[in-house]
């Protein structure tokens, strides 16, 4: 049996009107006779009654007294309500459907409540329902441990549920339906002329996602990549094809493909830059600094190491702890708060001369200071002040021509 997985995000299932759009996509797929597994997120965004953030607000005033296990019980409810509600829509339309919790769907995780990793997908129950002609609606973002404890997979984790099920069921495709037309060249909330890409490689979108592009969870892409399952990111509210995420060889073999140096931009806000500079520093300066960070569970990024200095960034939330640790070591760090990391990403920039020159040129033209930078063969990162972030993204987007219809890889190319 050919199996398709469709995942609908929070805004796609938030109200009756949006659920009619969801229904349209489900009906169309159901009519093909393919087995259909539908993964849903909790309904809506913060403030709407059953959204994940609204559930979190219920316990906000109690500090962190609720254990992670119980917090997961609470958070899992959003997706359960959503799955049962959508199933009622399908049944009312005469489409045989069944709703399953993540655990009932066979998603087995470790016991890291709040950020559980999927260990196994036991797909017998789903296959049984599919063989009996039902659409299977699965509550995303959750699983269960071997002992039957309910877990959640980390924010944005319904994407991960979808690709994990797609991989286990050897699905023909996993469709991630959301509120934009696909993967765009930048976050449309910051760059208004960002354009949807017709095709990107797993590596490129994984890179974009890890660097802040919220459109799909990076773990979800990793799972799809490992299994070789194609993913499409598309809009619930249109019939557009969206963006196909596939192997880079497939990307390059598509008709009309023109090589592109830069595929897209991503950004992360709320970053603090820490610099430890010493005149005649201890020979083990770097070792002491990074050991202290690691021992205290502080993740570091954008690391520049020099003989008498280290520069790196931490998340804003970790910065007071990181500064305290450095002081305990006898260092007085220079602290730059409210920075943003802007990433310029493209599988085609490897070995391509002049990319950094273009970045520096575009930012200098706008009088934007680069506070730090780093690069890999597919990404160049620049740290800028938070206030400069939007202007930096807009300038880089224009510099690389990402807004142009003719852009190699834009829709329909
Ligand atoms: P869902 O609830 O459907 O999972 P998300 O809010 O998690 O939706 O992801 C979709 C949002 O991701 C879009 O509304 C958009 O603002 C944001 N986004 C950030 N970067 C990108 C990008 N490069 N392409 C598309 N959307 C992006
Ligand atoms: N509802 C969860 C969240 O808001 C999971 C998801 O939407 O993917 O993080
Ligand atoms: Mg999401």
């Amino acid at each position: 049996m050919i199996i398709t997985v469709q995942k609908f995000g929070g805004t796609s299932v938030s109200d009756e009107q949006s659920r009619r759009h969801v229904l349209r996509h489900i009906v169309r797929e159901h009519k093909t006779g393919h087995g259909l597994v539908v993964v849903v997120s909790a309904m809506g965004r913060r403030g709407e009654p059953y959204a994940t953030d609204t559930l979190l607000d219920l316990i906000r005033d109690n500090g962190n007294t609720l254990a992670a296990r119980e917090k997961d019980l609470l958070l899992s409810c959003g997706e359960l309500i959503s799955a049962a509600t959508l199933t009622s829509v399908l049944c009312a339309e005469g489409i045989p459907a069944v709703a399953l919790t993540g655990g009932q769907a066979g998603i087995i995780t470790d016991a890291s409540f709040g950020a559980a990793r999927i260990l196994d997908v036991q797909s017998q129950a789903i296959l049984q329902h599919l063989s009996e002609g039902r659409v299977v609606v699965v509550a995303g973002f959750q699983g269960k441990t071997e002992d039957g404890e309910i877990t959640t997979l980390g924010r944005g984790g319904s994407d991960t549920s979808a690709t994990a099920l797609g991989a286990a069921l050897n699905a023909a495709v996993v469709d991630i339906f959301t509120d934009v037309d696909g993967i765009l060249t930048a976050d449309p909330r910051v760059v208004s002329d960002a354009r949807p890409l017709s095709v990107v490689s797993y590596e490129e979108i994984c890179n974009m996602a890890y660097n802040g592009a919220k459109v799909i969870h990076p773990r979800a892409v990793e799972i799809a990549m490992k299994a070789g399952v194609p993913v499409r990111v598309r809009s619930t509210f249109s019939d557009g094809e969206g963006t196909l995420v596939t192997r880079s060889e497939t990307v390059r073999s598509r008709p009309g493909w023109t090589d592109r140096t830069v595929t897209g931009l991503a950004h992360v806000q709320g970053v603090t830059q820490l610099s430890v500079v010493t005149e005649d520093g201890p020979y083990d300066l770097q070792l002491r600094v990074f050991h202290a960070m690691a021992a205290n569970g502080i993740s570091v990024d954008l690391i520049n190491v020099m003989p008498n200095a280290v520069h790196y960034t931490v998340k804003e939330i970790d910065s007071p702890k990181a500064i305290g640790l450095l002081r305990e070591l006898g260092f007085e760090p220079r602290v730059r708060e409210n920075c943003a990391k802007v990433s310029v990403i493209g599988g085609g920039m490897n070995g391509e001369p002049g990319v950094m020159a273009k970045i520096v040129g575009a930012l200098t033209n706008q009088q934007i200071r680069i506070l730090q930078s780093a690069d890999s063969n597919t990404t160049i990162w620049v740290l800028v002040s938070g206030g400069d972030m939007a202007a930096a993204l807009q300038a880089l987007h224009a510099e690389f021509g990402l807004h142009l219809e003719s852009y190699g890889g834009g829709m329909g190319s």
Side-chain angles (χ1 to χ4, degrees):
M1 184 197 308
I2 297 175
I3 296 175
T4 305
V5 176
Q6 295 183 330
K7 177 255 166 176
F8 295 94
T11 47
S12 304
V13 288
S14 61
D15 57 21
E16 216 171 313
Q17 207 187 344
S18 44
R19 287 193 290 273
R20 298 315 290 179
H21 289 279
V22 170
L23 178 67
R24 197 162 47 82
H25 293 292
I26 292 178
V27 166
R28 190 167 48 203
E29 190 59 31
H30 183 60
K31 276 190 182 152
T32 64
H34 296 169
L36 178 56
V37 176
V38 175
V39 175
V40 286
S41 292
M43 289 153 48
R45 295 268 184 267
R46 170 169 265 130
E48 295 179 68
Y50 312 110
T52 305
D53 283 308
T54 310
L55 299 176
L56 272 173
D57 283 347
L58 292 173
I59 54 168
R60 192 185 42 198
D61 294 340
N62 302 337
N64 284 327
T65 49
L66 189 66
R69 175 186 175 277
E70 280 71 20
K71 204 164 155 187
D72 270 3
L73 282 183
L74 174 67
L75 290 188
S76 67
C77 297
E79 270 68 14
L80 293 182
I81 293 169
S82 185
T85 305
L86 183 63
T87 304
S88 80
V89 174
L90 299 183
C91 293
E93 290 293 318
I95 299 171
V98 59
L100 300 179
T101 67
Q104 288 168 341
I107 297 180
I108 308 297
T109 73
D110 64 17
S112 314
F113 295 103
R117 303 278 286 200
I118 297 176
L119 300 176
D120 191 18
V121 178
Q122 298 169 354
S123 46
Q124 306 87 316
I126 291 186
L127 288 171
Q128 183 65 35
H129 285 298
L130 291 178
S131 71
E132 290 165 8
R134 291 183 199 99
V135 172
V136 181
V137 183
V138 180
F141 176 54
Q142 56 178 263
K144 70 170 182 195
T145 64
E146 304 267 8
D147 301 336
E149 298 283 357
I150 292 175
T151 54
T152 65
L153 309 178
R155 298 306 306 269
S158 296
D159 296 332
T160 312
S161 310
T163 58
L165 288 170
L169 297 163
N170 196 18
V173 66
V174 175
D175 276 335
I176 305 284
F177 284 96
T178 183
D179 59 353
V180 284
D181 284 333
I183 296 169
L184 310 184
T185 45
D187 187 339
R189 285 172 295 195
V190 185
V191 181
S192 58
D193 56 359
R195 292 183 55 78
L197 294 154
S198 64
V199 60
V200 296
S201 68
Y202 293 117
E203 290 84 358
E204 285 173 322
I205 184 56
C206 211
N207 230 331
M208 283 178 76
Y210 270 120
N211 283 299
K214 234 193 90 197
V215 61
I216 187 167
H217 197 289
R219 281 286 302 137
V221 184
E222 281 171 356
I223 291 171
M225 175 161 63
K226 202 163 159 215
V229 176
V231 173
R232 275 183 306 195
V233 178
R234 48 201 301 204
S235 169
T236 301
F237 307 101
S238 81
D239 288 326
E241 290 270 295
T243 306
L244 174 68
V245 185
T246 182
R247 295 189 192 286
S248 52
E249 309 87 78
T250 318
V251 174
R252 277 154 210 283
S253 67
R254 296 225 338 165
W257 164 256
T258 40
D259 236 343
R260 57 188 180 205
T261 308
V262 172
T263 301
L265 310 177
H267 64 275
V268 179
Q269 289 170 277
V271 172
T272 302
Q273 185 191 41
L274 299 175
S275 301
V276 182
V277 183
T278 57
E279 262 311 300
D280 238 340
Y283 72 98
D284 59 351
L285 164 71
Q286 295 90 359
L287 191 68
R288 289 168 62 186
V289 168
F290 293 120
H291 262 177
M293 299 299 129
N296 288 278
I298 297 176
S299 147
V300 295
D301 196 11
L302 277 187
I303 304 155
N304 288 162
V305 173
M306 278 159 264
N308 287 336
V310 288
H311 306 275
Y312 63 101
T313 61
V314 295
K315 288 188 197 132
E316 214 153 76
I317 193 167
D318 289 333
S319 103
K321 194 167 163 193
I323 295 166
L325 288 166
L326 291 171
R327 288 190 179 140
E328 274 171 33
L329 291 174
F331 301 126
E332 190 51 49
R334 198 189 67 213
V335 180
R336 206 189 295 264
E337 279 165 347
N338 185 27
C339 298
K341 185 176 78 164
V342 171
S343 307
V344 179
I345 295 153
M349 73 167 66
N350 195 6
E352 187 79 22
V355 182
M356 189 61 187
K358 275 185 145 189
I359 293 174
V360 173
L363 297 183
T364 308
N365 267 340
Q366 298 296 316
Q367 275 115 46
I368 296 170
R369 275 185 70 201
I370 299 177
L371 305 173
Q372 211 180 322
S373 78
D375 68 289
S376 76
N377 56 354
T378 58
T379 308
I380 294 177
W381 296 272
V382 287
L383 189 72
V384 298
S385 121
D388 286 336
M389 185 196 78
L393 284 161
Q394 288 152 10
L396 293 169
H397 201 261
E399 179 69 30
F400 288 100
L402 302 185
H403 60 297
L404 301 173
E405 200 164 340
S406 58
Y407 178 67
M411 275 294 190
S413 68

